[in-house]
């Protein structure tokens, strides 16, 4: 069966030719309607408009269309199953290096291991996942990293003597384990389009999207920890020092204002709680389950006390290749679903 995109379905519904001008004009008509979405029941060639609440009530009967951007990315993904997935631009390379070679301890032995590596070691690993530097030397690569201010340069190199008495500069970095490299490349190349589409769809439904970054108390100095948090999100609420099982309502009660002002964040956990209390239709996004909480009893109480929090989105792309979207009612009424947050024995990236 031919796949019909949301944009094609909209043009079909209004009996207009499928072209970019009509897509923009007609999509805006539907997007401007409050709580209305295009869908189908028996066959995708018969689109109709229906209240989003009605669709949510019976998602088996009423099915929504997929954006053409998502369809395109999935086609690319299917093609890449047979081909080697590679990084194709410098921005992707920077993201790969900043994910795989950390100058700080992420507190995650499942994903990372500490090693002494040279620029040549890093360069050799990178060449397995991109063709951008095929005609470059290790020296050129090092100069390029400096110009891009790649994160691993924050770790100062040390001279180490080897068995043949040669001295080589090495850095002690926390390196992503080899078996996860391919998944990270896949995430970088394919994931952004689908993730942005998901966020846009939620915003069209009237949701306010909040990012929450929780960082445990650790050995990183202030500069490194602040940079870590800035890298995680553009606009977030941040818990600067908290453990994964700390009650949410008790976090950041003694927040240091001078530290918070240095973060690219709108406030701490207490500020986030106040925002949720006073704002309807919230979707809260966190990096892995432990990035929000591993205390299921407290999380249950948190959801009970904050009815405005309708969705929780958990990004586990590095380890599970999936974004978990939890509906508030299901978390409250299905204990097995809530238990997914009890993941302390298998910590994911950036949680401790």
């Amino acid at each position: 069966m031919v796949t019909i995109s949301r944009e094609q379905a909209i043009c079909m519904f209004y009996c207009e030719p499928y072209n970019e001008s009509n897509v923009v004009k007609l999509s805006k008509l539907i997007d401007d309607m409050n709580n209305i979405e295009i869908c189908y029941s028996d066959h995708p060639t018969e689109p109709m408009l229906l209240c989003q609440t009605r669709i949510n009530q019976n998602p088996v009967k009423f099915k929504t269309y997929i954006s053409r951007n998502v369809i395109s990315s999935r086609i690319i993904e299917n093609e890449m199953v047979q081909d080697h997935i590679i990084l194709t631009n410098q921005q992707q390379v920077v993201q790969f290096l900043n994910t795989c070679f950390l100058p700080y301890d992420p507190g995650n032995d499942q994903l990372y291991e500490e090693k002494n590596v040279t620029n040549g070691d890093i360069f050799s690993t990178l060449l397995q996942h991109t063709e951008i530097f095929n005609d470059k030397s290790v020296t050129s690569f090092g100069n390029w990293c400096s110009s891009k201010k790649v994160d691993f340069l924050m770790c100062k190199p040390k001279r180490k003597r080897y068995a043949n008495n040669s001295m080589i500069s090495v850095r002690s970095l926390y390196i992503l384990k080899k078996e996860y490299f391919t998944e990270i490349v896949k995430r970088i190349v394919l994931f952004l389009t689908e993730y942005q589409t998901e966020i846009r769809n939620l915003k069209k439904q009237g949701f306010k999207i909040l990012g929450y970054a929780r960082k445990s108390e650790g050995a990183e100095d202030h500069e490194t920890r602040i940079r870590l948090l800035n890298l995680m999100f553009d606009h977030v609420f941040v818990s600067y020092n908290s453990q994964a099982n700390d009650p949410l309502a008790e976090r950041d009660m003694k927040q240091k204002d001078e530290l918070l002002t240095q973060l690219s964040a709108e406030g701490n956990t207490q500020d986030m709680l106040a925002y949720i209390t006073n704002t309807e239709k919230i979707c809260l996004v966190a990096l892995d389950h432990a990035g929000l909480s591993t205390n299921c009893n407290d999380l249950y109480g948190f959801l009970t006390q904050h009815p405005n929090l309708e969705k929780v989105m958990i990004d586990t792309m590095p380890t599970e290749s999936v974004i978990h979207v939890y509906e508030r009612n299901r978390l409250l009424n299905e204990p097995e679903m809530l238990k997914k947050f009890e993941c302390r024995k298998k910590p994911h990236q950036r949680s401790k």
Side-chain angles (χ1 to χ4, degrees):
M1 184 172 61
V2 177
T3 301
I4 297 176
S5 69
R6 182 177 186 270
E7 292 79 8
Q8 288 174 313
I10 290 173
C11 290
M12 291 166 61
F13 177 81
Y14 284 104
C15 302
E16 295 285 354
Y18 175 61
N19 56 52
E20 193 62 31
S21 175
N22 284 336
V23 167
V24 173
K25 177 180 66 176
L26 301 176
S27 294
K28 187 176 187 304
L29 290 178
I30 295 179
D31 293 341
D32 288 344
M33 297 180 188
N34 185 30
N35 201 33
I36 297 296
E37 184 55 88
I38 192 164
C39 65
Y40 66 93
S41 178
D42 297 324
H43 200 279
T45 58
E46 300 175 352
M48 59 182 173
L49 296 183
L50 199 62
C51 174
Q52 183 68 54
T53 304
R54 183 78 176 96
I55 297 173
N56 295 342
Q57 185 182 41
N58 196 343
V60 175
K61 181 178 181 181
F62 302 113
K63 309 168 190 67
T64 56
Y65 294 90
I66 302 173
S67 167
R68 60 187 178 184
N69 291 334
V70 174
I71 293 173
S72 296
S73 69
R74 288 179 180 176
I75 291 174
I76 294 172
E77 182 175 2
N78 289 335
E79 291 174 348
M80 285 183 172
V81 169
Q82 301 176 352
D83 300 324
H84 182 51
I85 305 174
I86 61 173
L87 306 166
T88 57
N89 59 57
Q90 294 189 11
Q91 183 179 6
Q92 291 176 354
V93 171
V94 171
Q95 189 175 353
F96 175 80
L97 293 173
N98 287 348
T99 301
C100 298
F101 300 92
L102 305 184
Y104 51 81
D105 182 359
N108 191 338
D109 294 337
Q110 179 194 7
L111 293 181
Y112 290 89
E113 53 190 350
E114 187 177 12
K115 289 184 177 180
N116 289 325
V117 291
T118 65
N119 280 3
D121 296 329
I122 298 173
F123 188 48
S124 296
T125 299
L126 179 62
L127 289 178
Q128 299 174 35
H129 301 284
T130 185
E131 297 176 353
I132 295 176
F133 297 94
N134 281 0
D135 59 345
K136 303 297 182 181
S137 66
V138 175
T139 301
S140 297
F141 169 69
N143 293 335
W144 178 86
C145 289
S146 296
S147 69
K148 298 298 182 181
K149 298 181 180 178
V150 177
D151 287 353
F152 72 75
L153 296 178
M154 290 191 292
C155 178
K156 302 300 182 183
K158 297 180 179 179
R159 303 284 288 177
K160 185 174 181 179
R161 185 182 299 276
Y162 282 82
N164 59 0
N165 287 327
S166 62
M167 298 292 291
I168 299 178
S169 293
V170 299
R171 288 183 170 88
S172 180
L173 301 176
Y174 290 85
I175 302 173
L176 188 71
K177 294 181 180 179
K178 185 177 181 180
E179 58 265 32
Y180 293 108
F181 281 168
T182 299
E183 191 57 49
I184 287 297
V185 172
K186 178 181 176 182
R187 173 186 178 171
I188 292 171
V189 174
L190 300 176
F191 169 63
L192 184 58
T193 298
E194 292 198 29
Y195 186 74
Q196 289 177 333
T197 299
E198 177 71 18
I199 294 296
R200 281 198 300 269
N201 288 340
L202 288 174
K203 289 182 177 180
K204 288 177 182 178
Q205 296 172 33
F207 279 91
K208 300 294 183 183
I209 312 297
L210 305 185
Y212 182 63
R214 183 196 61 77
K215 185 68 186 76
S216 302
E217 185 175 3
E220 300 91 3
D221 58 37
H222 286 172
E223 180 180 355
T224 301
R225 188 179 299 172
I226 289 169
R227 176 162 185 171
L228 168 60
L229 293 174
N230 284 332
L231 285 170
M232 291 167 69
F233 291 105
D234 291 327
H235 302 286
V236 298
F237 293 95
V238 171
S239 178
Y240 183 75
N241 280 332
S242 65
Q243 300 299 319
N245 64 345
D246 287 347
L248 283 153
E250 298 177 10
R251 296 180 187 178
D252 307 322
M253 298 296 290
K254 297 180 180 180
Q255 180 73 43
K256 296 181 179 179
D257 292 337
E258 66 272 16
L259 293 176
L260 189 60
T261 56
Q262 298 178 60
L263 303 175
S264 295
E266 297 179 17
N268 59 24
T269 307
Q270 297 303 313
D271 298 314
M272 180 186 73
L273 297 180
Y275 186 93
I276 293 175
T277 300
N278 296 306
T279 309
E280 296 182 350
K281 214 163 186 180
I282 296 293
C283 174
L284 182 61
V285 183
L287 294 181
D288 74 58
H289 294 83
L292 178 59
S293 177
T294 58
N295 187 333
C296 291
N297 290 334
D298 180 71
L299 187 57
Y300 182 90
F302 171 65
L303 291 166
T304 302
Q305 296 166 15
H306 295 87
N308 290 337
L309 180 57
E310 296 186 20
K311 291 180 184 288
V312 176
M313 185 179 293
I314 303 296
D315 176 0
T316 61
M317 284 299 294
T319 54
E320 300 177 15
S321 305
V322 69
I323 299 294
H324 299 275
V325 181
Y326 299 106
E327 302 288 340
R328 162 193 172 79
N329 290 336
R330 295 194 65 187
L331 286 173
L332 290 175
N333 297 317
E334 300 179 23
E336 290 302 317
M337 181 169 291
L338 194 63
K339 284 185 178 180
K340 291 182 179 179
F341 287 82
E342 290 183 346
C343 56
R344 195 63 186 90
K345 293 181 180 180
K346 293 183 179 180
H348 295 306
Q349 184 180 3
R350 300 200 190 286
S351 298
K352 183 177 179 181

